[in-house]
């Protein structure tokens, strides 16, 4: 699949990395040296810091009054244990919660990745605030071009399915299957979801705000609390996009699966960047910088880079989200003996649609799974296969997919220090009884 370079995640990231390492770039508030030093320390401490970091140390989100002495829960929606596994301020979807579901993940079970806490924002007073040297008249952060939620709702709406996946999804298997620990949230395979997002194109709003030909980068910023890790305040969660992508298929979404955006998924408005890693899809968007010079943030310099043996010293760029496959089954699921069962699962890839999926149940060779026709070319691909377990006992199920670019899933994923982009074949244990 060829995309114009300015929209290609990997190409853009590689280009900005070269600029960053050449030292000319600015990264609002945090110097390059500070970030480089932080990066060295981070590889070692991120996990520990994230685990230890109490939510209470973060500043209260704007417009939030958690009440006298109360510490707001990091996630607003209920997290019933049959739908979620909690991981600090995050919640991973349990794959058995998708058994028999349609193409999208219902909002009640969509995974949540919060650097800090879900802010409770007021849609009446919320404003999108655009500023920067890439807009006519160079509006400043203090005197930005503003749009209210009703302004956005009056603009032409678009709706489409898109997959959001955390770059660390599957990280747990680096240690469990390969013995290599990596810091960060210990996601199984449930840090991913597909939803129908409705909103206005970011491009429409950028043009209304006075986008000029000089603009190169756009950086949406979240209204959740500033992120403090390893003792360093990295500021508000933000990550730049090239103008080419911003003008293409990026949405400012105010609905998810036909409902107003839920609090945990960015109410009242979030960015949705189809095909790019989850961190690009900034939730609770407030300010948006539009710049005539390249923009950088810790989320595209220190975090979300490939570090470790085989990667450049300053960190290599992330490739597109890797190919993954999951069974819609509990870990250690019980499967009845002596009867045929329909095994169901889903596969997805950041490179584009899935071309084929194979399943191994341990008792015979890899065999092709049936692809659900309605999902062909979609954000992810449901599949099924029939299995008659030959005998009671412990069995290991495996699924592996190949996408339209020919990328597949190796038995062992390539290591990187932060445990991003796991693409190995996951060994899923079940008990036949
Ligand atoms: N403002 C803000 N946006 C954010 C985040 C965050 O913590 N704050 N997390 C990012 C990450 S790392 C991911 S993977 C996705 C997760 O989206 P979800 O919580 O709606 O599933 O949101 C992204 N957008
Ligand atoms: Mo993420």
């Amino acid at each position: 699949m060829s995309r114009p370079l300015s929209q290609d995640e990997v190409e853009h990231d590689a280009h900005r990395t070269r600029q960053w390492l050449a030292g000319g770039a600015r990264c609002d508030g945090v110097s390059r040296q500070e970030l480089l030093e932080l990066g060295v320390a981070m590889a070692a401490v991120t996990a520990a810091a994230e685990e230890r970091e109490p939510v209470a140390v973060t500043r209260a989100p704007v417009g939030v009054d958690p009440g006298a002495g109360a510490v707001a829960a990091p996630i607003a929606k209920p997290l019933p244990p049959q739908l979620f596994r909690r991981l600090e301020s995050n919640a991973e979807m349990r794959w058995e919660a998708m058994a028999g579901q349609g193409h999208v993940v219902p909002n009640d079970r969509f995974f949540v990745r919060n650097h800090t806490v879900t802010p409770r924002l007021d849609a009446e007073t919320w404003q999108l605030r655009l500023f920067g040297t890439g807009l006519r008249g160079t509006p400043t952060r203090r005197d930005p071009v503003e749009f209210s939620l009703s302004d956005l709702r009056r603009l032409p709406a678009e709706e489409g399915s898109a997959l959001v996946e955390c770059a660390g999804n599957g990280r747990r298997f680096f240690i469990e299957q390969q013995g290599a620990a990596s810091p960060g949230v210990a996601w199984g395979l449930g840090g991913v979801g597909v939803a129908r997002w409705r909103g206005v194109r970011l491009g429409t709003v950028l043009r209304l705000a006075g986008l000029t030909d000089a603009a190169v980068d756009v950086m949406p910023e979240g209204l959740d609390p500033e992120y403090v890790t390893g003792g360093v305040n990295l500021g508000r969660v933000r990550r730049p996009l090239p103008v080419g992508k911003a003008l293409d298929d990026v949405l400012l979404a105010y609905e998810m699966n036909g409902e107003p955006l839920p609090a945990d998924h960015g109410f009242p408005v979030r960015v949705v960047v189809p095909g790019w890693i989850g961190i690009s899809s900034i939730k609770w968007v407030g300010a948006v910088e539009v710049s005539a010079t390249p923009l950088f943030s810790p989320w595209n310099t220190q975090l979300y880079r490939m570090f470790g043996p085989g990667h450049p010293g300053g960190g290599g760029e992330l490739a597109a989200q890797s190919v993954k496959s999951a069974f819609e089954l509990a870990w250690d699921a019980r499967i009845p003996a002596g009867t045929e069962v329909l095994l169901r699962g889903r596969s997805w890839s950041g490179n584009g649609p899935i071309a084929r999926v194979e399943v191994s149940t341990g008792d015979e060779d890899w065999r092709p799974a049936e692809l659900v026709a309605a999902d062909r070319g979609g954000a992810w691909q449901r599949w099924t296969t029939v299995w008659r377990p030959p005998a009671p006992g412990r069995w290991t199920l495996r699924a592996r997919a190949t996408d339209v670019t020919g990328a597949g899933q190796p038995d062992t994923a390539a290591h990187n220090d932060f445990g991003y982009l796991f693409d190995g074949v996951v060994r899923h244990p079940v008990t036949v009884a």
Side-chain angles (χ1 to χ4, degrees), residues 111 113 115 165-169 187 191 277-280 304:
F111 85 101
R113 164 64 175 123
H115 280 71
E165 180 176 32
C166 196
N169 194 29
W187 302 105
I277 61 171
I279 184 61
S280 316
Y304 302 99

Side-chain angles (χ1 to χ4, degrees), residues 110-127:
F110 204 98
F111 85 101
V112 181
R113 164 64 175 123
N114 280 352
H115 280 71
T116 60
V117 300
T118 291
R120 314 306 203 264
L121 302 175
D122 177 359
E124 293 296 310
T125 56
W126 175 88
Q127 299 270 356

Side-chain angles (χ1 to χ4, degrees), residues 202-268:
L202 175 58
T204 303
V205 172
L206 288 173
R207 289 194 177 98
L208 286 172
L211 185 72
T212 70
D213 289 346
V216 294
D217 277 0
V218 175
M219 181 141 69
E221 189 178 285
L223 290 168
D224 42 339
E226 295 176 346
Y227 181 55
V228 179
T229 185
V232 181
N233 185 344
L234 300 182
R236 293 193 187 275
V237 178
R238 62 201 187 284
R239 192 170 196 263
L241 293 166
V243 161
K245 181 68 177 175
L247 292 179
D248 183 34
D249 55 356
V250 177
L251 271 193
L252 288 167
Y254 45 71
E255 278 178 26
M256 178 179 183
N257 293 327
E259 292 167 18
L261 207 57
D264 298 310
H265 300 292
F267 180 86

Side-chain angles (χ1 to χ4, degrees), residues 170-397:
R171 181 179 284 127
R172 177 153 77 87
F173 301 107
F174 277 109
I175 178 82
E176 282 186 13
Q177 294 195 170
Q178 305 185 186
S182 39
V185 181
W187 302 105
L189 286 175
V192 64
V194 171
R196 260 182 314 111
W197 308 97
R198 183 179 177 81
V200 53
R201 276 185 190 247
L202 175 58
T204 303
V205 172
L206 288 173
R207 289 194 177 98
L208 286 172
L211 185 72
T212 70
D213 289 346
V216 294
D217 277 0
V218 175
M219 181 141 69
E221 189 178 285
L223 290 168
D224 42 339
E226 295 176 346
Y227 181 55
V228 179
T229 185
V232 181
N233 185 344
L234 300 182
R236 293 193 187 275
V237 178
R238 62 201 187 284
R239 192 170 196 263
L241 293 166
V243 161
K245 181 68 177 175
L247 292 179
D248 183 34
D249 55 356
V250 177
L251 271 193
L252 288 167
Y254 45 71
E255 278 178 26
M256 178 179 183
N257 293 327
E259 292 167 18
L261 207 57
D264 298 310
H265 300 292
F267 180 86
V269 176
R270 84 177 296 169
V271 179
V272 174
V273 185
W276 287 36
I277 61 171
I279 184 61
S280 316
S281 292
I282 295 294
K283 304 192 278 187
W284 314 293
V285 58
V288 178
E289 178 167 5
V290 184
S291 174
T293 55
L295 295 175
F296 297 84
S297 92
W299 285 266
N300 72 330
T301 53
Q302 278 332 114
L303 304 164
Y304 302 99
R305 307 209 73 81
M306 298 295 242
F307 292 98
H311 298 289
E317 61 277 4
L318 289 191
Q321 289 285 78
S322 53
V323 186
K324 293 194 190 64
S325 300
F327 287 90
E328 295 171 7
L329 279 177
W331 206 247
D332 279 319
R334 304 217 138 234
I335 291 187
T339 173
E340 278 194 341
V341 290
L342 185 68
L343 299 175
R344 283 189 284 232
R346 298 177 194 234
S347 300
W348 60 97
S349 163
N351 298 315
I354 295 297
R356 60 176 188 278
V357 179
E358 298 162 290
V359 169
S360 161
T361 46
D363 52 327
E364 41 181 81
D365 284 345
W366 288 94
R367 58 172 181 270
E370 302 288 330
L371 304 189
V372 171
D375 292 357
R376 292 312 285 268
W380 60 10
Q381 176 66 57
R382 281 172 291 176
W383 44 261
T384 62
T385 190
V386 171
W387 183 41
R388 174 183 275 275
R394 297 269 290 170
W395 293 87
T396 300
L397 306 182

